[in-house]
Amino acid sequence: DQQVKQNSPSLSVQEGRISILNCDYTNSMFDYFLWYKKYPAEGPTFLISISSIKDKNEDGRFTVFLNKSAKHLSLHIVPSQPGDSAVYFCAARSNTPLVFGKGTRLSVIA
Amino acid sequence: NAGVMQNPRHLVRRRGQEARLRCSPMKGHSHVYWYRQLPEEGLKFMVYLQKENIIDESGMPKERFSAEFPKEGPSILRIQQVVRGDSAAYFCASSLNPGQSNQPQHFGDGTRLSIL
């Protein structure tokens, strides 16, 4: 039973355009959501997070949107850069352990 | 480097041997988590420890796996009598007070365990 789902295994975007990565969840007890970025042979790097009491959090080129009624969140990257090419994991928390999605591989094409 | 440090980065074992994975949390962090990632999968929680205490081991197999975080030294994930299915990347993360929602977990670069 997958509580956090990233339905797009991969995404290709032109440099300078917007990248939108999506994530759906099933557990309404999740109160905190995070996005991590992962390069090959490295650990996940924390990008941005959002509390369940908010619907938007912005940090530079990265914005996370949360739609609680739809149990959906998205990560927007604008403008996309070649260095953003990586696997992006959505994660959610109700207690302490994080529950991760399977990731979306983003390729930003120059 | 003040990040989460894991060693070794790569570990090769034969079936039946023991594997020991070490993790030193970020400076000032007293909460440690272990996750496992299989190919093409997300990270799956295994165990959460504070100094000298196991807080949550709900994701860890009951047999052959154990974890500790002693008062001094790194956290250790131990896998006894390894089998081929244990081949995976094992990631350690640490955090400050996890009760505060704005305290993310920070990850090390993982140990890639290969079982021959």
mmCIF file with all atom_site columns, all heavy atoms in Angstrom, chain A residues 64-78:
data_model
loop_
_atom_site.group_PDB
_atom_site.id
_atom_site.type_symbol
_atom_site.label_atom_id
_atom_site.label_alt_id
_atom_site.label_comp_id
_atom_site.label_asym_id
_atom_site.label_entity_id
_atom_site.label_seq_id
_atom_site.pdbx_PDB_ins_code
_atom_site.Cartn_x
_atom_site.Cartn_y
_atom_site.Cartn_z
_atom_site.occupancy
_atom_site.B_iso_or_equiv
_atom_site.pdbx_formal_charge
_atom_site.auth_seq_id
_atom_site.auth_comp_id
_atom_site.auth_asym_id
_atom_site.auth_atom_id
_atom_site.pdbx_PDB_model_num
ATOM 1   N N   . VAL A 1 64 ? 6.446  25.055 -3.458  1.00 0.00 ? 64 VAL A N   1
ATOM 2   C CA  . VAL A 1 64 ? 5.644  23.860 -3.222  1.00 0.00 ? 64 VAL A CA  1
ATOM 3   C C   . VAL A 1 64 ? 4.214  24.307 -2.924  1.00 0.00 ? 64 VAL A C   1
ATOM 4   O O   . VAL A 1 64 ? 3.990  25.242 -2.163  1.00 0.00 ? 64 VAL A O   1
ATOM 5   C CB  . VAL A 1 64 ? 6.230  22.979 -2.096  1.00 0.00 ? 64 VAL A CB  1
ATOM 6   C CG1 . VAL A 1 64 ? 6.400  23.742 -0.802  1.00 0.00 ? 64 VAL A CG1 1
ATOM 7   C CG2 . VAL A 1 64 ? 5.373  21.753 -1.874  1.00 0.00 ? 64 VAL A CG2 1
ATOM 8   N N   . PHE A 1 65 ? 3.269  23.631 -3.578  1.00 0.00 ? 65 PHE A N   1
ATOM 9   C CA  . PHE A 1 65 ? 1.850  23.885 -3.388  1.00 0.00 ? 65 PHE A CA  1
ATOM 10  C C   . PHE A 1 65 ? 1.213  22.649 -2.758  1.00 0.00 ? 65 PHE A C   1
ATOM 11  O O   . PHE A 1 65 ? 1.507  21.528 -3.157  1.00 0.00 ? 65 PHE A O   1
ATOM 12  C CB  . PHE A 1 65 ? 1.162  24.169 -4.733  1.00 0.00 ? 65 PHE A CB  1
ATOM 13  C CG  . PHE A 1 65 ? 1.634  25.427 -5.397  1.00 0.00 ? 65 PHE A CG  1
ATOM 14  C CD1 . PHE A 1 65 ? 2.683  25.400 -6.307  1.00 0.00 ? 65 PHE A CD1 1
ATOM 15  C CD2 . PHE A 1 65 ? 1.017  26.647 -5.132  1.00 0.00 ? 65 PHE A CD2 1
ATOM 16  C CE1 . PHE A 1 65 ? 3.128  26.549 -6.930  1.00 0.00 ? 65 PHE A CE1 1
ATOM 17  C CE2 . PHE A 1 65 ? 1.452  27.813 -5.751  1.00 0.00 ? 65 PHE A CE2 1
ATOM 18  C CZ  . PHE A 1 65 ? 2.504  27.763 -6.647  1.00 0.00 ? 65 PHE A CZ  1
ATOM 19  N N   . LEU A 1 66 ? 0.317  22.885 -1.801  1.00 0.00 ? 66 LEU A N   1
ATOM 20  C CA  . LEU A 1 66 ? -0.383 21.795 -1.151  1.00 0.00 ? 66 LEU A CA  1
ATOM 21  C C   . LEU A 1 66 ? -1.879 21.986 -1.280  1.00 0.00 ? 66 LEU A C   1
ATOM 22  O O   . LEU A 1 66 ? -2.413 23.035 -0.920  1.00 0.00 ? 66 LEU A O   1
ATOM 23  C CB  . LEU A 1 66 ? 0.008  21.708 0.329   1.00 0.00 ? 66 LEU A CB  1
ATOM 24  C CG  . LEU A 1 66 ? -0.730 20.670 1.176   1.00 0.00 ? 66 LEU A CG  1
ATOM 25  C CD1 . LEU A 1 66 ? -0.461 19.256 0.668   1.00 0.00 ? 66 LEU A CD1 1
ATOM 26  C CD2 . LEU A 1 66 ? -0.344 20.795 2.652   1.00 0.00 ? 66 LEU A CD2 1
ATOM 27  N N   . ASN A 1 67 ? -2.551 20.970 -1.782  1.00 0.00 ? 67 ASN A N   1
ATOM 28  C CA  . ASN A 1 67 ? -4.009 20.958 -1.876  1.00 0.00 ? 67 ASN A CA  1
ATOM 29  C C   . ASN A 1 67 ? -4.501 19.820 -0.992  1.00 0.00 ? 67 ASN A C   1
ATOM 30  O O   . ASN A 1 67 ? -4.514 18.661 -1.399  1.00 0.00 ? 67 ASN A O   1
ATOM 31  C CB  . ASN A 1 67 ? -4.449 20.754 -3.327  1.00 0.00 ? 67 ASN A CB  1
ATOM 32  C CG  . ASN A 1 67 ? -5.951 20.772 -3.497  1.00 0.00 ? 67 ASN A CG  1
ATOM 33  O OD1 . ASN A 1 67 ? -6.706 20.474 -2.562  1.00 0.00 ? 67 ASN A OD1 1
ATOM 34  N ND2 . ASN A 1 67 ? -6.413 21.121 -4.682  1.00 0.00 ? 67 ASN A ND2 1
ATOM 35  N N   . LYS A 1 68 ? -4.878 20.163 0.243   1.00 0.00 ? 68 LYS A N   1
ATOM 36  C CA  . LYS A 1 68 ? -5.242 19.120 1.211   1.00 0.00 ? 68 LYS A CA  1
ATOM 37  C C   . LYS A 1 68 ? -6.504 18.381 0.822   1.00 0.00 ? 68 LYS A C   1
ATOM 38  O O   . LYS A 1 68 ? -6.618 17.174 1.036   1.00 0.00 ? 68 LYS A O   1
ATOM 39  C CB  . LYS A 1 68 ? -5.405 19.734 2.605   1.00 0.00 ? 68 LYS A CB  1
ATOM 40  C CG  . LYS A 1 68 ? -4.098 19.954 3.333   1.00 0.00 ? 68 LYS A CG  1
ATOM 41  C CD  . LYS A 1 68 ? -4.330 20.410 4.757   1.00 0.00 ? 68 LYS A CD  1
ATOM 42  C CE  . LYS A 1 68 ? -4.923 19.305 5.607   1.00 0.00 ? 68 LYS A CE  1
ATOM 43  N NZ  . LYS A 1 68 ? -5.076 19.740 7.014   1.00 0.00 ? 68 LYS A NZ  1
ATOM 44  N N   . SER A 1 69 ? -7.455 19.086 0.261   1.00 0.00 ? 69 SER A N   1
ATOM 45  C CA  . SER A 1 69 ? -8.715 18.414 -0.086  1.00 0.00 ? 69 SER A CA  1
ATOM 46  C C   . SER A 1 69 ? -8.487 17.361 -1.159  1.00 0.00 ? 69 SER A C   1
ATOM 47  O O   . SER A 1 69 ? -9.145 16.323 -1.178  1.00 0.00 ? 69 SER A O   1
ATOM 48  C CB  . SER A 1 69 ? -9.759 19.430 -0.532  1.00 0.00 ? 69 SER A CB  1
ATOM 49  O OG  . SER A 1 69 ? -9.307 20.128 -1.663  1.00 0.00 ? 69 SER A OG  1
ATOM 50  N N   . ALA A 1 70 ? -7.539 17.628 -2.052  1.00 0.00 ? 70 ALA A N   1
ATOM 51  C CA  . ALA A 1 70 ? -7.232 16.665 -3.107  1.00 0.00 ? 70 ALA A CA  1
ATOM 52  C C   . ALA A 1 70 ? -6.114 15.719 -2.709  1.00 0.00 ? 70 ALA A C   1
ATOM 53  O O   . ALA A 1 70 ? -5.772 14.807 -3.471  1.00 0.00 ? 70 ALA A O   1
ATOM 54  C CB  . ALA A 1 70 ? -6.838 17.406 -4.391  1.00 0.00 ? 70 ALA A CB  1
ATOM 55  N N   . LYS A 1 71 ? -5.522 15.932 -1.551  1.00 0.00 ? 71 LYS A N   1
ATOM 56  C CA  . LYS A 1 71 ? -4.353 15.158 -1.096  1.00 0.00 ? 71 LYS A CA  1
ATOM 57  C C   . LYS A 1 71 ? -3.277 15.153 -2.187  1.00 0.00 ? 71 LYS A C   1
ATOM 58  O O   . LYS A 1 71 ? -2.794 14.101 -2.629  1.00 0.00 ? 71 LYS A O   1
ATOM 59  C CB  . LYS A 1 71 ? -4.750 13.732 -0.707  1.00 0.00 ? 71 LYS A CB  1
ATOM 60  C CG  . LYS A 1 71 ? -5.658 13.638 0.513   1.00 0.00 ? 71 LYS A CG  1
ATOM 61  C CD  . LYS A 1 71 ? -5.756 12.192 0.985   1.00 0.00 ? 71 LYS A CD  1
ATOM 62  C CE  . LYS A 1 71 ? -6.571 12.069 2.253   1.00 0.00 ? 71 LYS A CE  1
ATOM 63  N NZ  . LYS A 1 71 ? -7.995 12.340 2.042   1.00 0.00 ? 71 LYS A NZ  1
ATOM 64  N N   . HIS A 1 72 ? -2.930 16.350 -2.577  1.00 0.00 ? 72 HIS A N   1
ATOM 65  C CA  . HIS A 1 72 ? -2.004 16.508 -3.696  1.00 0.00 ? 72 HIS A CA  1
ATOM 66  C C   . HIS A 1 72 ? -1.030 17.634 -3.399  1.00 0.00 ? 72 HIS A C   1
ATOM 67  O O   . HIS A 1 72 ? -1.424 18.684 -2.862  1.00 0.00 ? 72 HIS A O   1
ATOM 68  C CB  . HIS A 1 72 ? -2.797 16.826 -4.980  1.00 0.00 ? 72 HIS A CB  1
ATOM 69  C CG  . HIS A 1 72 ? -1.933 17.093 -6.164  1.00 0.00 ? 72 HIS A CG  1
ATOM 70  N ND1 . HIS A 1 72 ? -1.435 16.091 -6.970  1.00 0.00 ? 72 HIS A ND1 1
ATOM 71  C CD2 . HIS A 1 72 ? -1.455 18.251 -6.681  1.00 0.00 ? 72 HIS A CD2 1
ATOM 72  C CE1 . HIS A 1 72 ? -0.702 16.624 -7.922  1.00 0.00 ? 72 HIS A CE1 1
ATOM 73  N NE2 . HIS A 1 72 ? -0.702 17.931 -7.777  1.00 0.00 ? 72 HIS A NE2 1
ATOM 74  N N   . LEU A 1 73 ? 0.233  17.404 -3.723  1.00 0.00 ? 73 LEU A N   1
ATOM 75  C CA  . LEU A 1 73 ? 1.176  18.516 -3.677  1.00 0.00 ? 73 LEU A CA  1
ATOM 76  C C   . LEU A 1 73 ? 2.029  18.508 -4.935  1.00 0.00 ? 73 LEU A C   1
ATOM 77  O O   . LEU A 1 73 ? 2.139  17.491 -5.630  1.00 0.00 ? 73 LEU A O   1
ATOM 78  C CB  . LEU A 1 73 ? 2.050  18.503 -2.422  1.00 0.00 ? 73 LEU A CB  1
ATOM 79  C CG  . LEU A 1 73 ? 3.052  17.396 -2.151  1.00 0.00 ? 73 LEU A CG  1
ATOM 80  C CD1 . LEU A 1 73 ? 4.129  17.911 -1.225  1.00 0.00 ? 73 LEU A CD1 1
ATOM 81  C CD2 . LEU A 1 73 ? 2.383  16.222 -1.471  1.00 0.00 ? 73 LEU A CD2 1
ATOM 82  N N   . SER A 1 74 ? 2.581  19.682 -5.218  1.00 0.00 ? 74 SER A N   1
ATOM 83  C CA  . SER A 1 74 ? 3.397  19.811 -6.408  1.00 0.00 ? 74 SER A CA  1
ATOM 84  C C   . SER A 1 74 ? 4.597  20.706 -6.108  1.00 0.00 ? 74 SER A C   1
ATOM 85  O O   . SER A 1 74 ? 4.534  21.577 -5.235  1.00 0.00 ? 74 SER A O   1
ATOM 86  C CB  . SER A 1 74 ? 2.591  20.361 -7.581  1.00 0.00 ? 74 SER A CB  1
ATOM 87  O OG  . SER A 1 74 ? 2.078  21.629 -7.272  1.00 0.00 ? 74 SER A OG  1
ATOM 88  N N   . LEU A 1 75 ? 5.651  20.446 -6.841  1.00 0.00 ? 75 LEU A N   1
ATOM 89  C CA  . LEU A 1 75 ? 6.871  21.258 -6.755  1.00 0.00 ? 75 LEU A CA  1
ATOM 90  C C   . LEU A 1 75 ? 7.054  21.949 -8.093  1.00 0.00 ? 75 LEU A C   1
ATOM 91  O O   . LEU A 1 75 ? 7.073  21.283 -9.135  1.00 0.00 ? 75 LEU A O   1
ATOM 92  C CB  . LEU A 1 75 ? 8.079  20.374 -6.442  1.00 0.00 ? 75 LEU A CB  1
ATOM 93  C CG  . LEU A 1 75 ? 9.453  21.065 -6.473  1.00 0.00 ? 75 LEU A CG  1
ATOM 94  C CD1 . LEU A 1 75 ? 9.562  22.063 -5.319  1.00 0.00 ? 75 LEU A CD1 1
ATOM 95  C CD2 . LEU A 1 75 ? 10.577 20.042 -6.415  1.00 0.00 ? 75 LEU A CD2 1
ATOM 96  N N   . HIS A 1 76 ? 7.165  23.268 -8.051  1.00 0.00 ? 76 HIS A N   1
ATOM 97  C CA  . HIS A 1 76 ? 7.398  24.051 -9.252  1.00 0.00 ? 76 HIS A CA  1
ATOM 98  C C   . HIS A 1 76 ? 8.822  24.584 -9.218  1.00 0.00 ? 76 HIS A C   1
ATOM 99  O O   . HIS A 1 76 ? 9.242  25.152 -8.194  1.00 0.00 ? 76 HIS A O   1
ATOM 100 C CB  . HIS A 1 76 ? 6.417  25.226 -9.338  1.00 0.00 ? 76 HIS A CB  1
ATOM 101 C CG  . HIS A 1 76 ? 5.005  24.797 -9.557  1.00 0.00 ? 76 HIS A CG  1
ATOM 102 N ND1 . HIS A 1 76 ? 4.100  25.548 -10.272 1.00 0.00 ? 76 HIS A ND1 1
ATOM 103 C CD2 . HIS A 1 76 ? 4.322  23.690 -9.167  1.00 0.00 ? 76 HIS A CD2 1
ATOM 104 C CE1 . HIS A 1 76 ? 2.936  24.934 -10.316 1.00 0.00 ? 76 HIS A CE1 1
ATOM 105 N NE2 . HIS A 1 76 ? 3.053  23.801 -9.642  1.00 0.00 ? 76 HIS A NE2 1
ATOM 106 N N   . ILE A 1 77 ? 9.520  24.403 -10.310 1.00 0.00 ? 77 ILE A N   1
ATOM 107 C CA  . ILE A 1 77 ? 10.879 24.940 -10.434 1.00 0.00 ? 77 ILE A CA  1
ATOM 108 C C   . ILE A 1 77 ? 10.869 25.880 -11.636 1.00 0.00 ? 77 ILE A C   1
ATOM 109 O O   . ILE A 1 77 ? 10.590 25.457 -12.767 1.00 0.00 ? 77 ILE A O   1
ATOM 110 C CB  . ILE A 1 77 ? 11.916 23.821 -10.669 1.00 0.00 ? 77 ILE A CB  1
ATOM 111 C CG1 . ILE A 1 77 ? 11.803 22.730 -9.601  1.00 0.00 ? 77 ILE A CG1 1
ATOM 112 C CG2 . ILE A 1 77 ? 13.328 24.409 -10.675 1.00 0.00 ? 77 ILE A CG2 1
ATOM 113 C CD1 . ILE A 1 77 ? 12.670 21.502 -9.880  1.00 0.00 ? 77 ILE A CD1 1
ATOM 114 N N   . VAL A 1 78 ? 11.154 27.167 -11.367 1.00 0.00 ? 78 VAL A N   1
ATOM 115 C CA  . VAL A 1 78 ? 11.165 28.092 -12.493 1.00 0.00 ? 78 VAL A CA  1
ATOM 116 C C   . VAL A 1 78 ? 12.183 29.200 -12.257 1.00 0.00 ? 78 VAL A C   1
ATOM 117 O O   . VAL A 1 78 ? 12.198 29.773 -11.151 1.00 0.00 ? 78 VAL A O   1
ATOM 118 C CB  . VAL A 1 78 ? 9.738  28.658 -12.736 1.00 0.00 ? 78 VAL A CB  1
ATOM 119 C CG1 . VAL A 1 78 ? 9.197  29.346 -11.494 1.00 0.00 ? 78 VAL A CG1 1
ATOM 120 C CG2 . VAL A 1 78 ? 9.714  29.629 -13.894 1.00 0.00 ? 78 VAL A CG2 1
#
